[in-house]
Short mmCIF file of all heavy atoms in Angstrom, two decimals:
data_model
loop_
_atom_site.label_atom_id
_atom_site.label_comp_id
_atom_site.label_asym_id
_atom_site.label_seq_id
_atom_site.Cartn_x
_atom_site.Cartn_y
_atom_site.Cartn_z
N THR X 854 93.47 23.83 -18.32
CA THR X 854 93.02 23.04 -17.34
C THR X 854 91.67 22.46 -17.58
O THR X 854 90.64 23.20 -17.45
CB THR X 854 93.10 23.71 -15.94
OG1 THR X 854 94.37 24.24 -15.70
CG2 THR X 854 92.74 22.71 -14.81
N PRO X 855 91.55 21.20 -17.93
CA PRO X 855 90.21 20.70 -18.34
C PRO X 855 89.42 20.25 -17.14
O PRO X 855 89.86 20.09 -16.05
CB PRO X 855 90.59 19.39 -19.17
CG PRO X 855 91.91 18.98 -18.56
CD PRO X 855 92.59 20.16 -18.11
N GLN X 856 88.10 20.17 -17.37
CA GLN X 856 87.13 19.68 -16.35
C GLN X 856 87.05 18.19 -16.48
O GLN X 856 87.20 17.61 -17.49
CB GLN X 856 85.79 20.38 -16.50
CG GLN X 856 85.75 21.84 -16.32
CD GLN X 856 84.42 22.48 -16.47
OE1 GLN X 856 83.54 21.80 -16.95
NE2 GLN X 856 84.30 23.70 -16.05
N ASN X 857 86.73 17.62 -15.36
CA ASN X 857 86.48 16.06 -15.32
C ASN X 857 87.75 15.34 -15.87
O ASN X 857 87.64 14.34 -16.55
CB ASN X 857 85.30 15.69 -16.12
CG ASN X 857 84.07 16.41 -15.67
OD1 ASN X 857 83.88 16.47 -14.42
ND2 ASN X 857 83.19 16.80 -16.56
N GLN X 858 88.91 15.85 -15.48
CA GLN X 858 90.14 15.21 -15.95
C GLN X 858 90.47 14.00 -15.11
O GLN X 858 90.37 14.02 -13.84
CB GLN X 858 91.32 16.19 -15.90
CG GLN X 858 92.64 15.60 -16.47
CD GLN X 858 93.79 16.63 -16.24
OE1 GLN X 858 94.17 16.94 -15.22
NE2 GLN X 858 94.37 17.05 -17.43
N ARG X 859 90.80 12.92 -15.72
CA ARG X 859 91.26 11.64 -15.03
C ARG X 859 92.76 11.67 -14.95
O ARG X 859 93.39 11.65 -15.93
CB ARG X 859 90.73 10.47 -15.74
CG ARG X 859 89.31 9.98 -15.37
CD ARG X 859 88.27 10.91 -15.90
NE ARG X 859 86.99 10.21 -15.93
CZ ARG X 859 85.90 10.74 -16.41
NH1 ARG X 859 85.88 11.91 -16.89
NH2 ARG X 859 84.73 10.11 -16.49
N THR X 860 93.28 11.55 -13.77
CA THR X 860 94.81 11.56 -13.60
C THR X 860 95.28 10.38 -12.74
O THR X 860 96.41 10.23 -12.49
CB THR X 860 95.28 12.82 -12.93
OG1 THR X 860 94.67 12.96 -11.65
CG2 THR X 860 94.97 13.99 -13.78
N SER X 861 94.34 9.50 -12.28
CA SER X 861 94.74 8.33 -11.51
C SER X 861 95.36 7.25 -12.48
O SER X 861 95.40 7.43 -13.71
CB SER X 861 93.55 7.74 -10.80
OG SER X 861 92.52 7.35 -11.73
N GLU X 862 95.85 6.26 -11.89
CA GLU X 862 96.55 5.19 -12.66
C GLU X 862 95.44 4.40 -13.60
O GLU X 862 95.84 3.81 -14.55
CB GLU X 862 97.22 4.17 -11.79
CG GLU X 862 98.46 4.82 -11.10
CD GLU X 862 99.21 3.84 -10.23
OE1 GLU X 862 98.71 2.73 -10.15
OE2 GLU X 862 100.25 4.21 -9.71
N VAL X 863 94.18 4.44 -13.12
CA VAL X 863 93.18 3.87 -13.90
C VAL X 863 92.01 4.86 -14.06
O VAL X 863 91.50 5.42 -13.05
CB VAL X 863 92.57 2.54 -13.22
CG1 VAL X 863 91.42 1.94 -14.00
CG2 VAL X 863 93.70 1.52 -13.03
N ALA X 864 91.64 5.18 -15.31
CA ALA X 864 90.60 6.09 -15.66
C ALA X 864 89.41 5.39 -16.25
O ALA X 864 89.56 4.42 -16.99
CB ALA X 864 91.08 7.18 -16.57
N ASN X 865 88.22 5.78 -15.94
CA ASN X 865 86.97 5.16 -16.46
C ASN X 865 86.13 6.18 -17.22
O ASN X 865 85.90 7.31 -16.76
CB ASN X 865 86.18 4.56 -15.35
CG ASN X 865 86.84 3.48 -14.56
OD1 ASN X 865 87.27 2.45 -15.14
ND2 ASN X 865 87.05 3.70 -13.25
N PHE X 866 85.71 5.76 -18.46
CA PHE X 866 84.83 6.63 -19.29
C PHE X 866 83.60 5.76 -19.75
O PHE X 866 83.80 4.70 -20.14
CB PHE X 866 85.59 7.10 -20.46
CG PHE X 866 86.77 8.04 -20.19
CD1 PHE X 866 88.01 7.53 -19.98
CD2 PHE X 866 86.54 9.43 -20.08
CE1 PHE X 866 89.10 8.38 -19.63
CE2 PHE X 866 87.60 10.27 -19.75
CZ PHE X 866 88.86 9.73 -19.54
N ASP X 867 82.46 6.33 -19.72
CA ASP X 867 81.26 5.71 -20.20
C ASP X 867 80.78 6.58 -21.48
O ASP X 867 80.32 7.71 -21.28
CB ASP X 867 80.19 5.67 -19.15
CG ASP X 867 79.01 4.80 -19.59
OD1 ASP X 867 78.83 4.55 -20.82
OD2 ASP X 867 78.27 4.33 -18.69
N LEU X 868 80.85 5.98 -22.58
CA LEU X 868 80.51 6.72 -23.84
C LEU X 868 79.03 6.68 -24.16
O LEU X 868 78.65 7.24 -25.16
CB LEU X 868 81.32 6.30 -24.99
CG LEU X 868 82.89 6.27 -24.80
CD1 LEU X 868 83.56 5.76 -26.06
CD2 LEU X 868 83.36 7.66 -24.44
N GLY X 869 78.25 5.90 -23.37
CA GLY X 869 76.83 5.80 -23.63
C GLY X 869 76.46 4.81 -24.74
O GLY X 869 77.19 3.91 -25.08
N ASN X 870 75.33 5.14 -25.44
CA ASN X 870 74.87 4.31 -26.53
C ASN X 870 75.60 4.55 -27.81
O ASN X 870 75.82 5.72 -28.20
CB ASN X 870 73.33 4.50 -26.69
CG ASN X 870 72.54 4.07 -25.56
OD1 ASN X 870 72.89 3.12 -24.85
ND2 ASN X 870 71.41 4.63 -25.33
N LEU X 871 75.93 3.50 -28.55
CA LEU X 871 76.60 3.59 -29.82
C LEU X 871 75.73 3.00 -30.90
O LEU X 871 75.47 1.78 -30.84
CB LEU X 871 77.95 2.86 -29.79
CG LEU X 871 78.71 2.86 -31.08
CD1 LEU X 871 79.32 4.33 -31.38
CD2 LEU X 871 79.83 1.84 -31.13
N LYS X 872 75.23 3.80 -31.84
CA LYS X 872 74.34 3.28 -32.92
C LYS X 872 75.06 2.75 -34.08
O LYS X 872 74.59 1.87 -34.76
CB LYS X 872 73.41 4.47 -33.38
CG LYS X 872 72.43 4.91 -32.34
CD LYS X 872 71.50 5.97 -32.93
CE LYS X 872 70.40 6.37 -31.90
NZ LYS X 872 69.51 7.34 -32.42
N ALA X 873 76.26 3.33 -34.37
CA ALA X 873 77.05 2.91 -35.48
C ALA X 873 78.50 3.34 -35.31
O ALA X 873 78.86 4.00 -34.33
CB ALA X 873 76.53 3.52 -36.82
N SER X 874 79.34 3.01 -36.26
CA SER X 874 80.81 3.29 -36.17
C SER X 874 80.95 4.83 -35.87
O SER X 874 80.30 5.62 -36.52
CB SER X 874 81.49 2.97 -37.44
OG SER X 874 81.43 1.58 -37.66
N LYS X 875 81.90 5.18 -35.02
CA LYS X 875 81.99 6.53 -34.57
C LYS X 875 83.36 6.76 -33.98
O LYS X 875 83.98 5.90 -33.40
CB LYS X 875 80.87 6.95 -33.60
CG LYS X 875 80.87 8.41 -33.19
CD LYS X 875 79.72 8.64 -32.20
CE LYS X 875 79.71 10.08 -31.70
NZ LYS X 875 78.58 10.29 -30.73
N SER X 876 83.87 8.00 -34.07
CA SER X 876 85.16 8.39 -33.37
C SER X 876 84.87 9.24 -32.19
O SER X 876 83.99 10.15 -32.21
CB SER X 876 86.02 9.18 -34.43
OG SER X 876 86.54 8.28 -35.34
N PHE X 877 85.57 8.97 -31.13
CA PHE X 877 85.57 9.77 -29.92
C PHE X 877 86.91 10.41 -29.67
O PHE X 877 87.94 9.84 -30.03
CB PHE X 877 85.18 8.93 -28.68
CG PHE X 877 83.82 8.26 -28.80
CD1 PHE X 877 83.62 7.03 -29.47
CD2 PHE X 877 82.69 8.92 -28.28
CE1 PHE X 877 82.37 6.47 -29.61
CE2 PHE X 877 81.42 8.32 -28.41
CZ PHE X 877 81.25 7.16 -29.05
N TYR X 878 86.94 11.56 -29.09
CA TYR X 878 88.19 12.32 -28.96
C TYR X 878 88.55 12.59 -27.40
O TYR X 878 87.67 12.88 -26.65
CB TYR X 878 88.13 13.62 -29.66
CG TYR X 878 87.97 13.35 -31.17
CD1 TYR X 878 86.74 13.27 -31.77
CD2 TYR X 878 89.10 13.19 -31.99
CE1 TYR X 878 86.57 13.03 -33.16
CE2 TYR X 878 88.95 12.96 -33.34
CZ TYR X 878 87.69 12.86 -33.93
OH TYR X 878 87.55 12.64 -35.31
N PHE X 879 89.83 12.50 -27.11
CA PHE X 879 90.35 12.68 -25.76
C PHE X 879 91.55 13.64 -25.84
O PHE X 879 92.41 13.45 -26.72
CB PHE X 879 90.65 11.36 -25.17
CG PHE X 879 89.58 10.41 -24.98
CD1 PHE X 879 89.16 9.53 -26.02
CD2 PHE X 879 88.86 10.26 -23.79
CE1 PHE X 879 88.02 8.72 -25.91
CE2 PHE X 879 87.77 9.43 -23.73
CZ PHE X 879 87.38 8.64 -24.76
N ILE X 880 91.65 14.44 -24.79
CA ILE X 880 92.90 15.35 -24.65
C ILE X 880 93.77 14.64 -23.68
O ILE X 880 93.46 14.35 -22.56
CB ILE X 880 92.46 16.70 -24.11
CG1 ILE X 880 91.48 17.34 -25.18
CG2 ILE X 880 93.68 17.59 -23.86
CD1 ILE X 880 90.88 18.70 -24.65
N LEU X 881 95.06 14.40 -24.19
CA LEU X 881 96.04 13.81 -23.34
C LEU X 881 96.99 14.88 -22.76
O LEU X 881 97.62 15.65 -23.65
CB LEU X 881 96.90 12.76 -24.14
CG LEU X 881 97.99 12.07 -23.41
CD1 LEU X 881 97.47 11.24 -22.26
CD2 LEU X 881 98.81 11.14 -24.36
N SER X 882 97.12 14.99 -21.49
CA SER X 882 97.98 16.09 -20.94
C SER X 882 98.98 15.48 -20.01
O SER X 882 98.94 14.22 -19.62
CB SER X 882 97.12 17.12 -20.24
OG SER X 882 96.33 16.53 -19.28
N ASN X 883 99.93 16.29 -19.49
CA ASN X 883 100.93 15.92 -18.50
C ASN X 883 100.68 16.87 -17.27
O ASN X 883 100.88 18.08 -17.38
CB ASN X 883 102.28 16.10 -19.07
CG ASN X 883 103.40 15.75 -18.05
OD1 ASN X 883 103.09 15.39 -16.89
ND2 ASN X 883 104.62 15.83 -18.47
N THR X 884 100.20 16.31 -16.15
CA THR X 884 99.97 17.13 -15.00
C THR X 884 101.17 17.27 -14.06
O THR X 884 101.02 17.97 -13.03
CB THR X 884 98.81 16.47 -14.19
OG1 THR X 884 99.13 15.14 -13.74
CG2 THR X 884 97.54 16.39 -15.06
N GLY X 885 102.30 16.67 -14.40
CA GLY X 885 103.48 16.81 -13.61
C GLY X 885 104.35 17.89 -14.24
O GLY X 885 104.02 18.56 -15.18
N ASP X 886 105.53 18.12 -13.59
CA ASP X 886 106.47 19.16 -14.08
C ASP X 886 107.47 18.61 -15.08
O ASP X 886 107.75 19.27 -16.06
CB ASP X 886 107.26 19.70 -12.89
CG ASP X 886 106.34 20.44 -11.83
OD1 ASP X 886 105.40 21.12 -12.32
OD2 ASP X 886 106.54 20.24 -10.60
N GLN X 887 107.93 17.40 -14.85
CA GLN X 887 108.88 16.84 -15.76
C GLN X 887 108.13 16.30 -17.06
O GLN X 887 107.08 15.94 -17.05
CB GLN X 887 109.64 15.59 -15.16
CG GLN X 887 110.41 16.03 -13.91
CD GLN X 887 111.72 16.65 -14.26
OE1 GLN X 887 112.04 16.97 -15.43
NE2 GLN X 887 112.59 16.82 -13.31
N ALA X 888 108.87 16.42 -18.17
CA ALA X 888 108.32 15.93 -19.43
C ALA X 888 108.16 14.44 -19.40
O ALA X 888 108.84 13.69 -18.68
CB ALA X 888 109.21 16.41 -20.57
N ILE X 889 107.23 13.88 -20.24
CA ILE X 889 107.13 12.54 -20.47
C ILE X 889 107.52 12.17 -21.92
O ILE X 889 107.09 12.86 -22.85
CB ILE X 889 105.63 12.02 -20.28
CG1 ILE X 889 105.17 12.40 -18.84
CG2 ILE X 889 105.52 10.51 -20.43
CD1 ILE X 889 103.74 12.06 -18.52
N THR X 890 108.37 11.18 -22.07
CA THR X 890 108.90 10.90 -23.40
C THR X 890 108.57 9.51 -23.80
O THR X 890 108.08 8.70 -22.99
CB THR X 890 110.47 11.12 -23.47
OG1 THR X 890 111.05 10.22 -22.50
CG2 THR X 890 110.85 12.52 -23.15
N ASP X 891 108.72 9.23 -25.09
CA ASP X 891 108.50 7.83 -25.62
C ASP X 891 107.13 7.37 -25.27
O ASP X 891 106.91 6.26 -24.78
CB ASP X 891 109.56 6.87 -25.15
CG ASP X 891 110.99 7.33 -25.53
OD1 ASP X 891 111.14 7.91 -26.58
OD2 ASP X 891 111.93 7.10 -24.75
N VAL X 892 106.11 8.15 -25.57
CA VAL X 892 104.76 7.78 -25.23
C VAL X 892 104.21 6.79 -26.20
O VAL X 892 104.33 6.99 -27.43
CB VAL X 892 103.85 9.00 -25.08
CG1 VAL X 892 102.43 8.66 -24.80
CG2 VAL X 892 104.41 10.03 -24.14
N THR X 893 103.54 5.72 -25.74
CA THR X 893 102.83 4.73 -26.61
C THR X 893 101.42 4.62 -26.13
O THR X 893 101.07 4.65 -24.96
CB THR X 893 103.52 3.40 -26.58
OG1 THR X 893 103.49 2.84 -25.24
CG2 THR X 893 104.91 3.51 -27.04
N ILE X 894 100.46 4.46 -27.08
CA ILE X 894 99.04 4.36 -26.81
C ILE X 894 98.54 3.09 -27.55
O ILE X 894 98.71 3.01 -28.82
CB ILE X 894 98.22 5.58 -27.14
CG1 ILE X 894 98.89 6.83 -26.59
CG2 ILE X 894 96.80 5.47 -26.74
CD1 ILE X 894 99.59 7.76 -27.61
N GLU X 895 97.87 2.23 -26.86
CA GLU X 895 97.32 1.05 -27.55
C GLU X 895 95.99 0.55 -26.87
O GLU X 895 95.88 0.84 -25.70
CB GLU X 895 98.33 -0.10 -27.61
CG GLU X 895 98.78 -0.57 -26.22
CD GLU X 895 99.86 -1.69 -26.31
OE1 GLU X 895 100.42 -1.86 -27.46
OE2 GLU X 895 100.08 -2.26 -25.37
#
Side-chain angles (χ1 to χ4, degrees):
T854 303
Q856 296 179 348
N857 302 321
Q858 184 183 64
R859 274 72 160 182
T860 58
S861 59
E862 293 182 357
V863 178
N865 297 302
F866 295 91
D867 191 340
L868 304 182
N870 294 332
L871 179 72
K872 292 185 176 182
S874 299
K875 183 179 179 180
S876 287
F877 298 87
Y878 296 91
F879 298 83
I880 298 173
L881 178 64
S882 59
N883 179 359
T884 62
D886 297 318
Q887 298 283 7
I889 303 176
T890 59
D891 301 327
V892 179
T893 61
I894 309 108
E895 60 182 15

